[in-house]
Amino acid sequence: SLIGKSIEINASRIKIVVSDRVKLKLTEVCKSAHITVNNMLQTIWALVLLQNTSGNEVVFGSTVFGRPPQVSSSEKMIGI
């Protein structure tokens, strides 16, 4: 089986445990396509959302830390 022994689902999180064999294969596929595993998983998530909604497109995103390293003590700042 591609999926490991546990799948946990609640309102805000889905956790799927996969075997080491699947992790290795996914990493190999992404490396050969010159993309990150994160890019692949986000693409899969977009396809899942698209398949399960009535729209023609989906939009989702993630929050990233956007301060340049030249800003001193940026790890101690709150807000943008």
Side-chain angles (χ1 to χ4, degrees), residues 37-52:
V37 172
N38 184 50
N39 291 140
M40 175 68 82
L41 295 176
Q42 286 190 6
T43 300
I44 292 168
W45 182 239
L47 293 171
V48 167
L49 291 175
L50 188 60
Q51 186 68 29
N52 291 286

Side-chain angles (χ1 to χ4, degrees), residues 4-79:
K5 295 181 181 179
S6 74
I7 297 177
E8 299 173 21
I9 301 173
N10 68 36
S12 63
R13 179 176 294 187
I14 298 172
K15 180 180 179 181
I16 300 173
V17 179
V18 296
S19 69
D20 289 340
R21 180 178 64 85
V22 171
K23 290 177 193 175
L24 180 61
K25 186 64 178 174
L26 180 60
T27 302
E28 288 173 359
V29 168
C30 291
K31 190 173 186 175
S32 70
H34 305 287
I35 62 172
T36 65
V37 172
N38 184 50
N39 291 140
M40 175 68 82
L41 295 176
Q42 286 190 6
T43 300
I44 292 168
W45 182 239
L47 293 171
V48 167
L49 291 175
L50 188 60
Q51 186 68 29
N52 291 286
T53 60
S54 59
N56 293 333
E57 58 187 44
V58 294
V59 177
F60 65 95
S62 59
T63 304
V64 295
F65 183 73
R67 292 188 187 99
Q70 296 83 2
V71 177
S72 63
S73 302
S74 64
E75 71 279 358
K76 296 177 183 176
M77 295 179 185
I78 298 175

